[in-house]
Amino acid sequence: MDLLQITDTHLFADKNADFLGIAPWYSARAVVDAILENARELDATPQDFILATGDLSQDQTPESYRHFSELMGELAPPIFWLPGNHDDGHLMQAELDAAGISNAKHLLCGQWQILLLDTHLDHETFGELSAAQLILLEQAITHYPEHHLLLAVHHQAIPVGCAWLDQHNLRNSAAMKAILSQHQASKVVMCGHVHQGFDQYEQGIRYLASPATCIQFKPLSDNFALDSMAPGWRALSLYPDGRLSTQVWRLPHHAFAPDFSATGY
């Protein structure tokens, strides 16, 4: 089973709006074009489905979510999504529902189950899993103990090595990890939010993050800093025995260079 992670598009109502030196609609447009070009070169459909892991909008407007829906509509498979800290969850759901994008959050795919959990908190940059979301996780591993688990959230559950960014993490990740420790099959936790590629094992769990489709945060930076790496996305293949192979793809180097003098947003 093949899937893509697309994250942190940070779209505006205005397609020409600037976000730290990049117009996010145009960089997302370039990512979609690159995915389609890869598929043409391989003479194959791009993937079975796409996971969009939050911060799809920057200005919380209906138009920004419509732009996202239109761009994703050019990619053939179903899209599944969760909100990030910059999203308006209610507006997001209304607009994506209207576009025919599924609101399903639990998927059974062969020997894998995929669970998308909401870590968004109103008016906060950091994330948290509510008691109801933790119950959904516990139910998933209780009802399907032999299914390998891909868990998608927006906020990072372990530090990525950026001090300024790791303070805006998933605050109750310990509760999530305690539930995951009961699951004996393969466990993978995928996040957005960090605007960089990340791949690390910790206590039997593989943690992944994907580049954003717009600006990139400089890895291992104590203070806010942008990276020269180009926008990108992550491709994953899930195998029945619990193995997962993955690759980060990026646009050409120096594509959509940001304003490196920026000190935050």
Side-chain angles (χ1 to χ4, degrees):
M1 182 176 308
D2 299 316
L3 60 142
L4 299 182
Q5 180 189 11
I6 292 177
T7 196
D8 295 84
T9 53
H10 288 271
L11 297 170
F12 293 82
D14 180 359
K15 292 181 178 180
N16 296 307
D18 180 88
F19 183 48
L20 302 183
I22 288 177
W25 184 87
Y26 287 96
S27 58
R29 164 80 270 167
V31 165
V32 169
D33 289 342
I35 292 170
L36 292 172
E37 179 60 28
N38 283 354
R40 284 191 290 269
E41 290 178 357
L42 296 173
D43 192 25
T45 56
Q47 59 285 310
D48 295 305
F49 55 89
I50 292 171
L51 299 181
T53 49
D55 281 0
L56 306 186
S57 175
Q58 176 62 21
D59 62 359
Q60 300 88 42
T61 58
E63 293 83 0
S64 63
Y65 294 115
R66 291 170 196 165
H67 293 330
F68 175 81
S69 300
E70 290 165 2
L71 285 168
M72 293 301 103
E74 299 184 29
L75 303 174
I79 313 293
F80 301 97
W81 59 273
L82 51 81
N85 52 289
H86 286 281
D87 288 310
D88 180 322
H90 297 296
L91 176 62
M92 184 182 195
Q93 180 168 343
E95 290 296 332
L96 298 185
D97 282 353
I101 295 177
S102 175
N103 189 35
K105 297 295 184 279
H106 186 227
L107 315 172
L108 292 178
C109 313
Q111 291 305 115
W112 283 82
Q113 59 176 323
I114 298 173
L115 183 63
L116 297 93
L117 294 182
D118 183 354
T119 61
H120 170 91
L121 286 173
D122 290 341
H123 313 300
E124 297 289 357
T125 305
F126 64 84
E128 186 173 286
L129 287 166
S130 67
Q133 294 290 290
L134 290 170
I135 288 171
L136 290 176
L137 175 57
E138 193 157 25
Q139 288 175 338
I141 66 173
T142 299
H143 294 163
Y144 302 97
E146 296 182 357
H147 280 67
H148 311 296
L149 174 64
L150 175 59
L151 173 61
V153 291
H154 179 68
H155 294 82
Q156 73 271 32
I158 63 172
V160 297
C162 294
W164 72 272
L165 186 56
D166 284 327
Q167 66 181 322
H168 304 306
N169 64 350
L170 177 59
R171 287 293 170 89
N172 61 341
S173 61
M176 180 196 78
K177 294 173 187 176
I179 297 171
L180 288 175
S181 69
Q182 305 169 31
H183 193 48
Q184 300 305 306
S186 295
K187 300 171 286 250
V188 181
V189 177
M190 167 194 292
C191 74
H193 192 54
V194 298
H195 290 235
Q196 58 190 269
F198 183 79
D199 188 344
Q200 184 169 310
Y201 280 93
E202 183 177 290
Q203 297 181 333
I205 302 172
R206 189 173 184 180
Y207 293 90
L208 300 172
S210 172
T213 66
C214 55
I215 59 169
Q216 310 300 301
F217 296 147
K218 187 175 182 179
L220 305 177
S221 176
D222 285 343
N223 299 312
F224 180 92
L226 298 177
D227 197 12
S228 61
M229 298 292 283
W233 68 99
R234 182 179 287 279
L236 306 95
S237 295
L238 308 179
Y239 298 91
D241 61 2
R243 289 180 299 118
L244 178 151
S245 63
T246 184
Q247 179 179 358
V248 165
W249 292 83
R250 293 186 184 270
L251 298 178
H253 192 53
H254 297 307
F256 300 97
D259 176 7
F260 293 108
S261 67
T263 58
Y265 69 96

